[in-house]
Amino acid sequence: MVHLRSLILLLTITLWPFSGLCQFCDSGLGYCNSESALPSKILIKGGTVVNADHQEVADVYVEDGIIVAVRPNIKVADGVRVLDAKGKFVMPGGIDPHTHLAMEFMGTETIDNFFSGQAAALAGGTTMHIDFVIPVNGSLSKGFEAYVEKSKLSCMDYGFHMAITKWDDIVPKEMEIMVNEKGINSFKFFLAYKGSLMISDELLLEGLKKCKSLGALAMVHAENGDAVFEGQRRMIELGITGPEGHALSRPPVLEGEATARAIRLAAFVNTPLYVVHVMSSDAMEEIARAQKSGQKVIGEPVVSGLILDDSVLWDPDFVCHEPSNKSIRAWESTSSSIIYWSSKGTDHCTFNSTQKSLGIDDFRKIPNGVNGLEERMHLVWDTMVESGQISATDYVRLFNIYPRKGAILAGSDADIIIFNPNSTFQISAHSHHSRSDTNVYEGRSGKGKVEVTIAGGRIVWENEELKVVPGSGRYISMPPFNYLYHGINKADANYLTSLKAPVNRI
Ligand code: URP
Ligand code: ZN
Ligand code: ZN
């Protein structure tokens, strides 16, 4: 039996991509389809094309995975697939800057890998994501190799951030290799998860200095891990073992403290800082204050923080599935520019109900994280554009891969969605494309629907049907020294002048 399976797999691998089968079809996910492997010539007619700076009614012509022209009344020859977009928006595919696919975490591994997570993303109009490489025993190169392996399943474009979990003579040298040779331009430092990913302030300072010298963006998970640990102990002593213990043990003040600390240390080093998954108004206020003072700090809103709150954790019928950190509808609480100008991530880090039940008797063992890759574009549109808080042009702003991604311009990658603002979406674990058996947004519905997704010039989502090819996604290298680095040198020079030292004393 085993031999027969191996033979079939070998034949499949040998024949792929020439057969209708593909290398990974035994994944059990019904949307593998090598028919759509070749990018086609596509004309999108008459839609409202939305870019970050303006919108206009125009046609969009795509060839070989690239947008060739954007203007009214484009004429094409026979054999070009024509999509009618009248009355609809034609927008750049979304970019999710914060995901965890195939991540080993808290004694298990996220249920979505680079195939299922990306397929779900494409069904929701996201065409690129940036995932976090976790080092293997502190080794960046081993971590990178592991993620190269995991991402071979990819069916859409992706990039990598990298976590730094220890410090020795090798780590800074490996950071250089990651930036200069491997296309990674951002490193994440965990101030939480005591005993596993958490690092000290001393390491954070070393990391910030190294990031600055490489032009890499330092990112922080800002919660005080020692205090969270203490908060957890306090809850257990009080006999609180259910999922509400998760929220109770990490009040917003602990996120505010760590955010303030990271911001001040970044100011001390004079390097830009990106605070991931901002969930509390305490943290947002710190970021807003730093931005006002001119410091280069970005706060990343995540969809769970926009949509969810903690109340469900107290429901006696509710077991285990906690929001990603401690959502308190952070986006409502401020008019800070961070919600308008930052990219909106998901922190898609999904565990199914069996995995969540690892913590059935102890909330500390519930693997942390929720879904969102497929739901993000719909939920952000419905919550923020439909309500008038932001415009369609605000909606398409992105991380920093412009203009290759995130724009409908001649020369940009053909990652495009056709969005019908008059249609509606519904969310359910029965119809979503993640491998999880639950959906933290179960039962939600709203206005606006991604009707077509084009990724790398291929129509991968149309008529509620996915046609995706494992192995067709490309790794996107990201260069260092993004726009946040403008002016850093001048500020350093001004600082040195202001010291008026060393003083030459006789
Ligand atoms: O806890 C969550 N949401 N994800 C795990 C990794 C992270 O980003 O902290
Ligand atoms: Zn984090
Ligand atoms: Zn995360």
Side-chain angles (χ1 to χ4, degrees):
M1 185 64 192
V2 174
H3 284 107
L4 186 63
R5 256 186 76 92
S6 312
L7 183 67
I8 293 169
L9 190 63
L10 182 70
L11 279 173
T12 310
I13 291 169
T14 315
L15 294 175
W16 185 83
F18 306 106
S19 70
L21 297 170
C22 84
Q23 199 176 355
F24 306 101
C25 278
D26 68 345
S27 61
L29 299 168
Y31 33 75
C32 251
N33 189 322
S34 60
E35 302 284 301
S36 63
L38 294 175
S40 36
K41 295 180 181 177
I42 304 166
L43 179 67
I44 306 168
K45 272 211 88 58
T48 300
V49 175
V50 184
N51 276 304
D53 55 350
H54 73 293
Q55 60 183 63
E56 59 176 332
V57 175
D59 298 346
V60 179
Y61 180 59
V62 167
E63 214 177 284
D64 294 331
I66 301 290
I67 298 172
V68 174
V70 183
R71 59 169 192 273
N73 300 319
I74 297 177
K75 302 273 177 277
V76 288
D78 291 348
V80 173
R81 178 76 202 278
V82 180
L83 300 171
D84 181 9
K86 253 180 240 111
K88 300 175 187 173
F89 288 115
V90 178
M91 302 194 269
I95 298 178
D96 187 337
H98 188 151
T99 62
H100 301 279
L101 299 181
M103 178 172 79
E104 287 143 54
F105 190 49
M106 296 183 74
T108 183
E109 183 170 323
T110 55
I111 192 75
D112 280 324
N113 60 19
F114 276 77
F115 182 57
S116 66
Q118 292 184 351
L122 290 168
T126 288
T127 52
M128 178 177 169
H129 71 115
I130 312 179
D131 209 82
F132 286 84
V133 172
I134 307 294
V136 174
N137 297 325
S139 162
L140 309 196
S141 50
K142 287 208 178 97
F144 187 78
E145 278 161 30
Y147 273 73
V148 166
E149 220 27 63
K150 291 172 199 255
S151 59
K152 283 190 173 151
L153 293 168
S154 287
C155 54
M156 72 185 210
D157 292 356
Y158 60 96
F160 287 147
H161 311 289
M162 183 169 263
I164 302 292
T165 53
K166 78 165 191 189
W167 200 260
D168 57 18
D169 292 346
I170 301 169
V171 170
K173 293 201 176 81
E174 288 198 317
M175 285 173 76
E176 285 170 26
I177 295 170
M178 292 304 139
V179 172
N180 298 326
E181 296 172 26
K182 305 291 187 195
I184 289 179
N185 70 359
S186 43
F187 295 96
K188 177 172 174 183
F189 301 88
F190 287 87
L191 306 187
Y193 301 124
K194 186 178 166 106
S196 60
L197 301 170
M198 181 171 139
I199 51 112
S200 63
D201 286 357
E202 187 184 4
L203 194 159
L204 179 60
L205 273 169
E206 291 297 342
L208 290 171
K209 284 193 293 179
K210 192 69 196 174
C211 281
K212 180 178 180 178
S213 72
L214 293 171
L217 185 57
M219 311 173 98
V220 279
H221 172 134
E223 287 183 290
N224 186 315
D226 286 319
V228 169
F229 189 77
E230 172 56 25
Q232 290 174 329
R233 194 160 47 199
R234 199 188 281 172
M235 292 310 126
I236 296 293
E237 274 167 20
L238 289 169
I240 298 168
T241 56
E244 68 279 9
H246 178 80
L248 290 170
S249 59
R250 48 212 311 152
V253 66
L254 303 189
E255 188 183 348
E257 184 280 327
T259 305
R261 181 162 33 107
I263 286 173
R264 281 157 178 76
L265 293 180
F268 176 63
V269 176
N270 186 31
T271 197
L273 184 71
Y274 184 103
V275 184
V276 301
H277 50 56
V278 178
M279 303 295 271
S280 67
S281 38
D282 291 43
M284 282 185 77
E285 275 153 23
E286 295 295 342
I287 293 164
R289 198 180 3 252
Q291 286 178 341
K292 245 191 200 152
S293 77
Q295 195 179 334
K296 306 213 171 174
V297 178
I298 300 274
E300 175 193 71
V302 283
V303 175
S304 53
L306 167 68
I307 303 290
L308 304 172
D309 65 30
D310 287 337
S311 53
V312 69
L313 301 182
W314 275 260
D315 182 344
D317 293 332
F318 181 88
V319 191
C320 281
H321 202 315
E322 90 294 356
S324 49
N325 285 307
K326 64 205 149 300
S327 312
I328 57 157
R329 292 187 192 257
W331 293 10
E332 267 175 18
S333 59
T334 180
S335 60
S336 157
S337 59
I338 76 168
I339 61 170
Y340 299 107
W341 303 108
S342 304
S343 52
K344 293 150 193 78
T346 58
D347 202 359
H348 184 93
C349 184
T350 306
F351 301 98
N352 66 14
S353 52
T354 311
Q355 294 171 303
K356 289 280 179 188
S357 68
L358 287 170
I360 194 120
D361 297 322
D362 184 344
F363 68 86
R364 295 171 298 181
K365 296 185 185 150
I366 305 171
N368 287 200
V370 295
N371 62 293
L373 248 171
E374 183 167 356
E375 296 75 16
R376 180 181 77 118
M377 300 284 279
H378 288 126
L379 290 170
V380 173
W381 179 276
D382 186 54
T383 314
M384 304 209 69
V385 185
E386 272 299 318
S387 67
Q389 289 184 67
I390 63 171
S391 67
T393 47
D394 289 333
Y395 180 73
V396 304
R397 285 178 214 283
L398 81 158
F399 202 51
N400 62 348
I401 314 142
Y402 181 87
R404 178 171 177 189
K405 304 276 187 194
I408 306 283
L409 296 174
S412 298
D413 284 357
D415 292 345
I416 304 169
I417 59 172
I418 301 179
F419 188 89
N420 185 346
N422 298 314
S423 188
T424 53
F425 70 87
Q426 268 96 31
I427 298 175
S428 171
H430 299 296
S431 53
H432 73 195
H433 298 83
S434 158
R435 289 168 71 194
S436 180
D437 57 347
T438 63
N439 190 312
V440 78
Y441 305 106
E442 185 68 39
R444 280 171 201 269
S445 58
K447 267 197 93 181
K449 175 100 180 73
V450 176
E451 290 187 341
V452 177
T453 305
I454 299 170
R458 284 182 291 269
I459 300 173
V460 291
W461 171 250
E462 191 183 16
N463 301 323
E464 300 284 308
E465 209 191 322
L466 263 178
K467 288 185 182 164
V468 288
V469 188
S472 60
R474 295 165 302 175
Y475 177 63
I476 306 294
S477 282
M478 289 175 289
F481 292 105
N482 69 20
Y483 70 96
L484 291 168
Y485 269 92
H486 298 167
I488 288 281
N489 283 349
K490 275 195 182 144
D492 276 345
N494 289 342
Y495 165 72
L496 290 177
T497 314
S498 76
L499 296 180
K500 298 189 189 132
V503 177
N504 219 349
R505 293 191 174 81
I506 299 163

